[in-house]
Amino acid sequence: MKRILVPTDFSDQAKYALDAAHKIALKTGAALVLIHVIEDANVTSVHYTGEVELPEMTDRLFMMRMIEKGKKNLEKLATSEAFADIVVEQELRIGSPYHNIRDIVSEQEVDLVVMGTKGSSGVEEFLIGSNAEKVVRHAKCPVLTIHEKLQSDSLDTIVYATALDEDEIASFEVVKAFQAMYGAKINIVRINTPNNFQPDRVALKELEEFAEKLGVDNYEVRIFNDNSEEEGIIYFAEQVKAELIAMATHGRTGLSHLLGGSIAEDVVNHTRRPVLTYSLKK
């Protein structure tokens, strides 16, 4: 792991994400790339040194003030003594937060995105979603979402929710990297639901066979029954007191996303635990 991208709007959630990314950087020797995006509906993604056409002088003056304020806050954060023990780079951009995050992931070959999220629910979630959801769905690298300040530097238990998809074998390397960093135990869990039920004797056998393909050590296979996959993952993680939930996402878009949704995005929105996701859609 060489480069970790941390989007920031200087909120508490962004600070929690930066703190988590700092801890990972110390363990891996990775550099942190801090990005602050000044939102502008007129452009999608542009570096602040680029030309931005604004129709009104008042808009231009307002944008220049926002750029100067963002630049000052970003520099103050990046040069803080708290991060003197790692390499910290800065990126200030204008446009859509999601598009700018996506562009930097590709441009700078980012290995991990760590971002804060408040989560969402109900009408707000359905109508506007969140930048975190879009990044989780489309990012070409693993994404770690952080809701709250981490209470401990240790990570003893990881819950890995699986659909027993062959494509997960490659993405599971990310989970094993976190396991190696922290010496954690992995609970590989299948959620039994009324619409997708398997007897334990069948499911446990399949899970054991799948774990062998994953090549994982220090693990346990588990079955958990609930009304939905999302609820099952969240409540199982609570039961085993996991410090991290990990799962793959198929990165559905368009009509398939509206009809089927994304279990990973739902979990990110509704749990308070850190969630590590990896999109299988590349």
Side-chain angles (χ1 to χ4, degrees):
M1 194 175 294
K2 296 180 180 179
R3 301 180 72 76
I4 301 173
L5 180 64
V6 187
T8 182
D9 57 2
F10 311 110
S11 65
D12 287 342
Q13 282 72 27
K15 291 174 185 174
Y16 303 153
L18 179 56
D19 182 56
H22 179 213
K23 290 179 171 65
I24 296 170
L26 288 174
K27 287 181 174 291
T28 62
L32 294 189
V33 181
L34 290 181
I35 176 175
H36 175 61
V37 181
I38 298 169
E39 294 193 56
D40 186 339
N42 297 311
V43 295
T44 300
S45 174
V46 62
H47 196 280
Y48 81 94
T49 57
E51 291 296 324
V52 181
E53 296 297 329
L54 297 173
E56 300 291 340
M57 181 57 70
T58 53
D59 290 340
R60 188 183 297 275
L61 291 173
F62 175 75
M63 184 59 69
M64 290 306 298
R65 290 194 190 100
M66 293 296 291
I67 290 172
E68 288 305 313
K69 181 180 178 182
K71 186 178 178 182
K72 185 182 296 183
N73 289 338
L74 193 60
E75 187 170 355
K76 181 180 178 181
L77 187 61
T79 58
S80 167
E81 265 199 50
F83 309 118
D85 48 5
I86 58 172
V87 175
V88 182
E89 301 171 13
Q90 306 169 47
E91 286 281 349
L92 181 64
R93 300 215 175 182
I94 300 168
S96 155
Y98 161 66
H99 284 99
N100 279 283
I101 292 168
R102 180 199 63 185
D103 290 350
I104 287 189
V105 167
S106 297
E107 293 166 8
Q108 301 195 15
E109 298 182 349
V110 168
D111 299 296
L112 175 69
V113 176
V114 182
M115 62 187 303
T117 177
K118 291 182 179 179
S120 56
S121 60
V123 175
E124 180 185 7
E125 177 184 335
F126 181 76
L127 292 177
I128 63 172
S130 69
N131 289 305
E133 285 182 13
K134 292 177 185 176
V135 175
V136 164
R137 193 185 315 156
H138 299 294
K140 294 183 178 180
C141 70
V143 179
L144 178 63
T145 49
I146 304 291
H147 295 262
E148 300 175 343
K149 183 175 178 62
L150 300 184
Q151 300 303 313
S152 172
D153 291 344
S154 65
L155 198 168
D156 299 321
T157 306
I158 299 172
V159 164
Y160 180 73
T162 180
L164 300 176
D165 190 319
E166 290 293 323
D167 290 339
E168 293 178 44
I169 295 174
S171 67
F172 192 76
E173 293 304 311
V174 179
V175 182
K176 288 200 288 187
F178 269 77
Q179 180 188 36
M181 269 193 283
Y182 291 93
K185 176 182 177 181
I186 301 178
N187 284 268
I188 303 173
V189 62
R190 182 192 190 278
I191 306 300
N192 256 344
T193 66
N195 294 325
N196 186 20
F197 180 82
Q198 278 188 326
D200 283 6
R201 65 180 183 279
V202 175
L204 285 171
K205 184 182 179 199
E206 289 187 358
L207 283 170
E208 285 289 358
E209 291 172 352
F210 192 65
E212 288 183 19
K213 291 180 182 178
L214 295 175
V216 59
D217 296 317
N218 191 18
Y219 73 93
E220 184 176 352
V221 295
R222 302 286 297 273
I223 308 294
F224 193 80
N225 301 314
D226 215 312
N227 292 320
S228 70
E229 286 89 350
E230 172 211 331
E231 291 177 321
I233 294 166
I234 292 172
Y235 289 126
F236 176 73
E238 288 181 6
Q239 184 182 89
V240 299
K241 295 180 172 57
E243 290 92 359
L244 177 69
I245 297 172
M247 58 194 304
T249 173
H250 284 84
R252 294 189 182 99
T253 58
L255 183 61
S256 64
H257 174 70
L258 290 176
L259 293 177
S262 166
I263 296 170
E265 291 166 40
D266 288 341
V267 172
V268 166
N269 265 325
H270 300 131
T271 186
R272 306 312 301 171
R273 285 174 164 77
V275 182
L276 178 67
T277 57
Y278 187 90
S279 176
L280 300 179
K281 183 178 180 180
K282 300 298 175 194

